[in-house]
Amino acid sequence: MSFYISGFEADLSLEIGNVERFLEEYKSINSMLDFDQNRYDRILLNYGTEKLKIATSLLTTILTDIERKGLSAVNYVFELLQSEGETDLAVFLANRIFEKHSSCEIEDLLIRTQTYSKVLSILIQKKDIYFFTYYLLGYLKELKRFLRDYRYLVEDVYRSATMFNQYMYIYYMTIIDDREKALGYLIKDIDLREFLFRKGILSFPEFNNLFHIINLAGLYFQLEDSVIRLTIDLESYIKKLKDELLEINRFVKKHPDKKFFFLNPELKKYLNEFLANIYVSGFEDYYMEISEVFPELLTNDHKMIIKILEFYRRDNITTKEIEDLREEIDRLFNNLSFEKKERVVYLFYNFLVDFYSEDSSKLVIIRKEIEDKVAKFPVMKIPLFRVLNFLGYSDKASKIAEEVKKELAISGRETLLKAVEKYIEEEF
């Protein structure tokens, strides 16, 4: 028996018990709330005559479509209802599907598990903790039945295992708020999916681990004091993401019609967050390499950061180039959020301090500019104590540096704290 399938089976048995206990505890603690199991089944009672006609006609058509086309119709049906904003009606429909396709035959079982998957996606978006957990338990029990009766359908079992990992990640991340367990399921699923890519069970790059790795990095940076963090080689996952992006790049060059499927607004948003995280954590080389794969995905603040980092790599920078970059940053500033402004301005002035470290006349001007920005961007105290030190005000610089260390330690900004400690060690 596959290592992955045996692990899936063990986790599934464990989590059915965990979810059952949580559900009972949640009901007990919140006994005053409405836990009517039929809440979604009663939604038609609130419909007017016309809407009721439309809804019943639609539901009849949808159920007939699933009866005729089977599993292939399930995804389309729920996407249609979600696009129309009919999420409650989608849950109502799911219950009718469970009733109509209740046999232990493989087709019915697969229809039910796929339906559970769609309902869970809807309920987590609605932030419906009780009913998400209620349907999650139903989903897990169906998976157990499937594994018991149809484990010889190995490819379907593997696909079920990866979906299980993803829903358990969501459960521990959003319902239980246990980031270590959420991270554990994320790591398991990345490993499993890579195996399925190699075996051709999941088609790469249509299926990939980009969002998995982005989420892993986000969790990694949140778990500052966790033991599990010490077991993770973050660099290896960053490299995996870079390699997947390179493969996707090669794929879309051969199939340009599929480019938007990969380079969508959601990926743009999360990839830029990922880039920000790895940059501040000292992975500047990977930051540059990943940024160069699909430059069209980069937001304006990251484009600025890349330009500044490129200045660090060059030896022959002119004053005009620096002033041009300053003007570009000034033009960009009004369209950035506070966090993005802080990141760009901090990096730019840190570069200026480094570049003009032996030019006291320039440093005097830079000091004044930094002091003007400290009130709005407290992080600017870092280039401030550096420029003061280079100008010979070592006592004042040292005092500010110690203040900054305390502030960063209290706020939990470990990466900046390490940078400050490095500056103190090397420059004082």
Side-chain angles (χ1 to χ4, degrees):
M1 180 167 53
S2 162
F3 162 79
Y4 294 106
I5 293 176
S6 60
F8 168 40
E9 189 169 29
D11 285 340
L12 183 57
S13 296
L14 176 68
E15 296 299 358
I16 287 174
N18 289 340
V19 174
E20 281 180 332
R21 280 189 294 276
F22 172 79
L23 204 55
E24 289 306 312
E25 289 171 7
Y26 189 84
K27 285 171 67 175
S28 175
I29 293 169
N30 299 278
S31 57
M32 298 299 291
L33 298 179
D34 174 21
F35 285 117
D36 180 4
Q37 305 281 351
N38 300 313
R39 179 192 301 175
Y40 289 102
D41 282 346
R42 291 178 177 160
I43 61 166
L44 298 187
L45 298 176
N46 299 321
Y47 286 8
T49 305
E50 276 308 306
K51 189 171 183 181
L52 184 59
K53 279 184 186 177
I54 294 169
T56 52
S57 174
L58 176 63
L59 290 170
T60 301
T61 302
I62 286 171
L63 287 170
T64 303
D65 205 28
I66 293 173
E67 182 72 25
R68 188 162 49 89
K69 296 180 181 177
L71 185 63
S72 62
V74 173
N75 284 352
Y76 168 74
V77 163
F78 282 94
E79 286 169 8
L80 173 66
L81 289 172
Q82 279 189 275
S83 69
E84 296 294 324
E86 296 288 356
T87 53
D88 287 358
L89 191 60
V91 180
F92 175 89
L93 170 65
N95 290 337
R96 305 291 74 76
I97 293 172
F98 296 145
E99 290 169 355
K100 192 173 180 64
H101 298 274
S102 59
S103 80
C104 293
E105 296 297 319
I106 182 61
E107 182 71 10
D108 275 2
L109 189 49
L110 290 174
I111 286 173
R112 291 200 302 276
T113 56
Q114 184 69 359
T115 301
Y116 268 117
S117 175
K118 293 300 175 183
V119 171
L120 289 170
S121 296
I122 290 169
L123 291 170
I124 201 63
Q125 289 175 21
K126 288 168 66 69
K127 296 181 173 58
D128 191 332
I129 293 175
Y130 173 75
F131 279 97
F132 174 85
T133 312
Y134 174 75
Y135 282 97
L136 176 63
L137 182 59
Y139 176 62
L140 299 183
K141 288 180 177 179
E142 293 286 15
L143 289 181
K144 186 173 183 179
R145 186 176 295 113
F146 176 67
L147 196 54
R148 182 193 67 203
D149 296 342
Y150 298 101
R151 68 188 307 124
Y152 61 86
L153 298 174
V154 176
E155 292 192 4
D156 287 308
V157 171
Y158 278 131
R159 292 190 189 98
S160 297
T162 185
M163 291 306 299
F164 165 77
N165 288 336
Q166 289 171 58
Y167 281 113
M168 294 317 300
Y169 160 75
I170 293 170
Y171 172 71
Y172 279 110
M173 189 71 188
T174 61
I175 305 297
I176 303 299
D177 193 25
D178 186 333
R179 282 164 166 68
E180 288 193 2
K181 284 192 176 178
L183 184 58
Y185 274 108
L186 206 49
I187 292 168
K188 284 181 184 180
D189 206 40
I190 291 170
D191 188 39
L192 171 59
R193 286 162 67 89
E194 286 180 347
F195 170 77
L196 300 184
F197 298 156
R198 292 194 298 271
K199 292 291 184 181
I201 296 171
L202 290 181
S203 177
F204 181 86
E206 288 88 344
F207 291 90
N208 56 69
N209 276 328
L210 295 181
F211 285 103
H212 280 57
I213 296 171
I214 289 169
N215 286 333
L216 181 146
L219 274 174
Y220 178 91
F221 294 119
Q222 291 175 34
L223 296 172
E224 289 285 352
D225 301 319
S226 172
V227 174
I228 194 172
R229 176 173 166 147
L230 302 176
T231 68
I232 297 171
D233 180 3
L234 181 62
E235 184 175 355
S236 70
Y237 286 102
I238 294 172
K239 184 178 184 302
K240 287 177 193 286
L241 183 135
K242 185 193 79 171
D243 291 343
E244 286 202 5
L245 282 174
L246 288 170
E247 283 294 323
I248 290 170
N249 193 14
R250 284 189 279 270
F251 180 82
V252 297
K253 283 179 180 176
K254 293 179 182 178
H255 307 278
D257 56 310
K258 296 189 177 180
K259 188 171 185 177
F260 185 76
F261 174 78
F262 296 102
L263 309 188
N264 52 64
E266 189 177 18
L267 178 61
K268 180 175 182 177
K269 175 186 174 184
Y270 289 106
L271 183 63
N272 279 276
E273 289 180 7
F274 172 82
L275 287 169
N277 281 332
I278 66 169
Y279 167 72
V280 299
S281 298
F283 295 101
E284 290 95 341
D285 288 341
Y286 280 112
Y287 178 98
M288 294 293 288
E289 290 168 13
I290 292 170
S291 299
E292 290 165 359
V293 180
F294 286 113
E296 62 267 45
L297 286 177
L298 298 181
T299 54
N300 287 331
D301 59 307
H302 283 288
K303 291 176 184 176
M304 289 297 100
I305 290 171
I306 289 167
K307 288 185 179 182
I308 298 167
L309 291 176
E310 285 174 347
F311 276 13
Y312 269 111
R313 294 163 182 262
R314 288 172 47 196
D315 296 325
N316 54 341
I317 305 163
T318 66
T319 302
K320 184 179 184 308
E321 286 176 307
I322 293 173
E323 291 308 310
D324 287 346
L325 179 59
R326 182 196 293 272
E327 289 177 9
E328 197 171 347
I329 291 171
D330 288 341
R331 286 195 301 272
L332 174 70
F333 236 51
N334 289 336
N335 298 319
L336 295 181
S337 66
F338 175 83
E339 291 78 10
K340 292 177 179 179
K341 287 178 181 176
E342 181 185 59
R343 191 158 56 234
V344 171
V345 75
Y346 164 73
L347 182 60
F348 179 64
Y349 276 96
N350 241 2
F351 163 73
L352 291 182
V353 171
D354 286 323
F355 186 75
Y356 293 114
S357 60
E358 297 180 4
D359 186 339
S360 58
S361 61
K362 285 284 188 183
L363 289 178
V364 168
I365 297 170
I366 292 167
R367 172 189 173 179
K368 178 66 170 64
E369 292 177 4
I370 292 172
E371 287 175 335
D372 289 343
K373 297 182 187 310
V374 165
K376 187 172 184 180
F377 304 108
V379 73
M380 293 298 286
K381 289 181 183 178
I382 298 173
L384 177 59
F385 78 66
R386 295 186 67 215
V387 75
L388 287 170
N389 190 46
F390 286 138
L391 286 170
Y393 301 101
S394 54
D395 289 343
K396 188 173 184 179
S398 180
K399 184 178 178 182
I400 295 174
E402 290 303 319
E403 288 175 3
V404 172
K405 278 180 63 177
K406 290 177 184 175
E407 291 169 2
L408 293 175
I410 292 169
S411 63
R413 302 181 76 173
E414 293 291 329
T415 304
L416 281 176
L417 178 59
K418 289 175 184 174
V420 168
E421 290 171 343
K422 182 180 177 184
Y423 289 137
I424 291 171
E425 182 182 345
E426 294 178 356
E427 297 175 6
F428 280 76

